């Protein structure tokens, strides 16, 4: 359209110049036709341009209004991009994505505050009740009642430490002390430490490993915490006569699937797979099992263990997955890259 308009304008100028001289320019009829087409093209371009400018202007006005809502704390603000074109549409989509993330973060913050308040209320109530009963002379200050208070304070201490670890890992500010670590030895040590508890419940527990598992550059204390959490859950939820297995395997994947930014697997990794023969995870809970305070109705924990495990694994550049087919137990897979992320 622009090219036709330019040709038309040149034709019009040429025709006008010819009318000022005695002899008309050659091809005058053709030039007049081109001039008419060019003028028509310019009119069409002007109409379309005005519509585009008007549509983009309306979208930008709406964007300013919705940005003011976000500034005031209303993260439900959204801008319709139906009439936006080109860069304006990309700007609107970016704004809507930003507002949606802010809304999700605000919802998670409120949910976290409510969950923390709920979790703190129970031990504080028990502690306050026992202390008041002792002060009022209802209960003696003996070992039994003081032990109950001590246990609840330990629950509070564990909850506060879990929240601190979770916050640091999610913020990426948790310091890691990496060193070359033999994960099959680490897994065997964890299994050995849980063997008495498993035997008491009548659960068999074992560790297996592939040959030539490479050393992995990780923080052994944090990874031991992850594996210990998974094994503790497996032993707790496996009935008598069941089995828990911790397997350490070497894995290699195609380079195209190894980019962590795309959610792929590392090209060279070591997997720690904790599987059990328990009843499995409720299908409704399974998609949310790594979220904060997500737990089943019979779980005695705080619901932070798997969330902390995910944060620690991702801080190492790895991934963690949960699988629980119906009536086939639960399998937790931790995948850690052999080389640390750069």
């Amino acid at each position: 359209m622009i090219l036709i308009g330019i040709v038309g304008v040149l034709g019009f100028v040429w025709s006008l110049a010819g009318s000022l001289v005695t002899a008309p320019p050659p091809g005058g009829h053709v030039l007049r036709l081109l001039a008419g087409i060019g003028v028509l093209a310019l009119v069409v371009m002007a109409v379309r341009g005005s519509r585009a400018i008007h549509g983009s202007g309306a979208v930008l006005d709406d964007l300013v209004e919705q940005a003011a809502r976000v500034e005031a704390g209303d993260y439900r603000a959204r801008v319709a991009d139906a009439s936006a074109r080109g860069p304006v549409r990309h700007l609107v989509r970016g704004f809507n994505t930003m507002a949606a993330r802010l809304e999700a973060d605000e919802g998670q913050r409120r949910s976290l505050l409510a969950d923390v308040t709920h979790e703190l209320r129970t031990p504080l109530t028990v502690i306050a009740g026992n202390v008041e009963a002792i002060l009022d002379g209802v209960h003696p200050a003996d070992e039994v009642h003081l032990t109950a208070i001590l246990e609840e304070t330990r629950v509070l201490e564990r909850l506060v430490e879990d929240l601190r670890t979770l916050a640091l890992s999610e913020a990426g500010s948790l310091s890691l002390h990496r060193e070359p670590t033999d994960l099959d030895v680490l897994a065997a040590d964890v299994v050995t430490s849980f063997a008495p508890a498993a035997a008491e419940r009548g659960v068999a527990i074992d560790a297996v490993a592939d040959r030539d598992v490479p050393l992995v550059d990780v923080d052994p204390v944090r990874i031991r915490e992850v594996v210990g959490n998974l094994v503790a859950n497996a032993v707790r939820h496996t009935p008598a006569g069941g089995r828990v297995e911790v397997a350490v395997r070497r894995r290699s994947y195609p380079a195209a699937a190894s980019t962590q930014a795309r959610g792929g697997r590392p090209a060279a990794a070591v997997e720690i797979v904790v599987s059990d023969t328990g009843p499995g995870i409720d299908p409704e809970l399974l998609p949310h099992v790594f979220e904060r305070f997500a737990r089943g109705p019979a779980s005695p924990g705080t619901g932070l263990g798997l969330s902390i495990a995910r944060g620690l694994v991702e801080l190492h550049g790895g991934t963690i997955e949960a699988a629980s087919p119906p009536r086939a137990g639960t399998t937790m897979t931790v995948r850690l890259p052999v080389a640390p992320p750069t």
Side-chain angles (χ1 to χ4, degrees), residues 235-318:
V235 171
R236 184 184 302 119
H237 296 289
T238 300
R243 181 180 181 81
V244 174
E245 181 182 85
V246 182
V248 181
R249 303 167 181 165
R250 179 173 185 169
R251 287 290 182 264
S252 297
Y253 303 96
S258 65
T259 304
Q260 290 297 315
R262 297 197 301 267
R265 301 184 177 100
V270 174
E271 288 182 349
I272 304 174
V273 183
V274 180
S275 57
D276 62 62
T277 58
I281 302 174
D282 191 303
E284 295 183 359
L285 178 62
L286 185 59
H288 311 285
V289 74
F290 293 108
E291 296 178 3
R292 293 186 294 251
F293 298 103
R295 58 183 179 181
S299 177
T302 61
L304 292 174
L306 291 180
S307 184
I308 292 174
R310 180 182 63 177
L312 293 176
V313 170
E314 291 179 348
L315 199 61
H316 283 82

Side-chain angles (χ1 to χ4, degrees), residues 71-88:
E71 183 182 10
D74 184 3
Y75 302 128
R76 297 170 299 174
R78 300 292 187 275
V79 179
D81 62 350
S83 59
R85 294 292 183 272
V88 176

Side-chain angles (χ1 to χ4, degrees), residues 181-184 209-216 248-250 270:
T181 303
D182 198 339
L183 292 182
D184 55 349
D210 291 346
R211 292 184 177 181
D212 300 326
V213 175
L215 297 178
V216 181
V248 181
R249 303 167 181 165
R250 179 173 185 169
V270 174

Side-chain angles (χ1 to χ4, degrees), residues 177-195 205-210 213-231 246-249 270-274 312-313 316 334 336:
H177 303 284
R178 293 179 179 270
E179 60 183 72
T181 303
D182 198 339
L183 292 182
D184 55 349
V185 175
L186 184 147
D189 290 342
V190 173
V191 168
T192 300
S193 65
F194 279 93
I205 185 171
D206 193 17
V208 296
D210 291 346
V213 175
L215 297 178
V216 181
D217 193 25
V218 297
D219 185 332
V221 175
R222 294 299 184 182
I223 296 303
R224 183 186 179 92
E225 181 180 347
V226 171
V227 178
N229 182 277
L230 300 181
V231 173
V246 182
V248 181
R249 303 167 181 165
V270 174
E271 288 182 349
I272 304 174
V273 183
V274 180
L312 293 176
V313 170
H316 283 82
V334 175
L336 295 168

